[in-house]
Amino acid sequence: MKTEPEADGAQAAELPATSRAVLGILSFGEELSGYDIKRWAEQSLAFYYWAPSQSQIYSELRRLEDQGLVESRVEQTHAAKSRRLYSITGVGRRRMREWIDGQAPDPVVLKQSMVLRLWAGHNGEVERLAEQWADYADQSRDTAARAAAHALSAEKVPAWRFPALALEWAEKYYRDEAARAEWVLERLAELEAAERDGGGAAAER
């Protein structure tokens, strides 16, 4: 019988955030394949943290298994096909508990490409910039609706009450993003009007 290594605070702090996300998915207690984990992430984590590729997921699973936080077994689905299933170990659960209960949250890093585009807007046309922000507002409303649908599904499973709450947060975030995008559109309209008025005044002079 394999003895699980002991986890400590220093080790917990070294675990990358993407590894914690994969470990967190497995902490719900089901054996999952890499494909299952990707689907789980797309229906939950992608709305507020991470939209991984399949290769990223397998890379994280190998890292976690090397550290004794995850274990795997091969399931023979039929004679010609098998799949590898992963589950969290006791050490993995302790590591997650240390992170949730004891570690300070990582600082939020905001990299908003639409705002960067807005900042450099003097290099383009105001009308085109407004079209892009209108599209962004629509996309944000659509994402909010999808997050709300997934939250509703998660609420039906008692074990998923915290993911449901996280998805509700995501819905509110994207609805707020849509409102901020509408505010930007109003301000762009004001700027465009001011430029027209200024141009007309200059022509009269």
Side-chain angles (χ1 to χ4, degrees):
M1 181 176 176
K2 186 171 75 173
T3 302
E4 292 178 339
E6 289 297 320
D8 58 37
Q11 288 177 314
E14 293 169 4
L15 198 63
T18 49
S19 290
R20 291 198 296 260
V22 171
L23 196 59
I25 291 173
L26 291 171
S27 72
F28 286 89
E30 296 181 46
E31 280 189 309
L32 299 173
S33 67
Y35 174 75
D36 295 331
I37 291 170
K38 180 171 174 58
R39 285 188 60 203
W40 222 105
E42 287 173 346
Q43 294 173 14
S44 184
L45 296 178
F47 288 97
Y48 43 82
Y49 186 73
W50 190 44
S53 66
Q54 200 73 60
S55 61
Q56 281 181 297
I57 288 171
Y58 284 116
S59 176
E60 296 304 332
L61 286 168
R62 284 193 295 271
R63 184 204 308 268
L64 293 167
E65 193 163 20
D66 288 344
Q67 294 185 29
L69 307 180
V70 159
E71 58 189 7
S72 68
R73 68 179 180 89
V74 175
E75 179 186 65
Q76 200 72 32
T77 54
H78 53 73
K81 193 171 182 181
S82 63
R83 63 175 185 162
R84 184 170 292 276
L85 297 176
Y86 296 85
S87 59
I88 192 170
T89 64
V91 174
R93 288 194 180 282
R94 289 201 297 274
R95 190 73 68 88
M96 287 298 291
R97 190 179 306 116
E98 289 171 1
W99 172 54
I100 295 296
D101 292 344
Q103 286 186 236
D106 298 332
V108 175
V109 179
L110 180 62
K111 295 173 69 175
Q112 227 298 4
S113 61
M114 287 297 295
V115 178
L116 183 62
R117 186 182 295 264
L118 180 64
W119 170 79
H122 59 282
N123 293 288
E125 297 293 331
V126 177
E127 287 183 7
R128 179 61 186 138
L129 190 60
E131 289 173 4
Q132 292 167 350
W133 274 92
D135 289 343
Y136 180 62
D138 289 340
Q139 292 167 14
S140 296
R141 281 188 286 268
D142 178 66
T143 303
R146 289 188 291 112
H150 286 300
L152 194 59
S153 296
E155 285 173 356
K156 298 173 183 177
V157 183
W160 294 353
R161 61 194 184 280
F162 290 108
L165 187 58
L167 284 162
E168 286 183 47
W169 178 92
E171 178 196 1
K172 292 180 181 297
Y173 172 84
Y174 285 105
R175 292 208 183 281
D176 289 345
E177 272 297 89
R180 282 189 287 269
E182 294 292 348
W183 172 82
V184 169
L185 286 168
E186 292 174 6
R187 295 289 287 115
L188 287 173
E190 292 172 6
L191 289 176
E192 192 174 13
E195 286 182 5
R196 283 198 307 267
D197 293 344
E204 288 177 7
R205 288 194 297 271

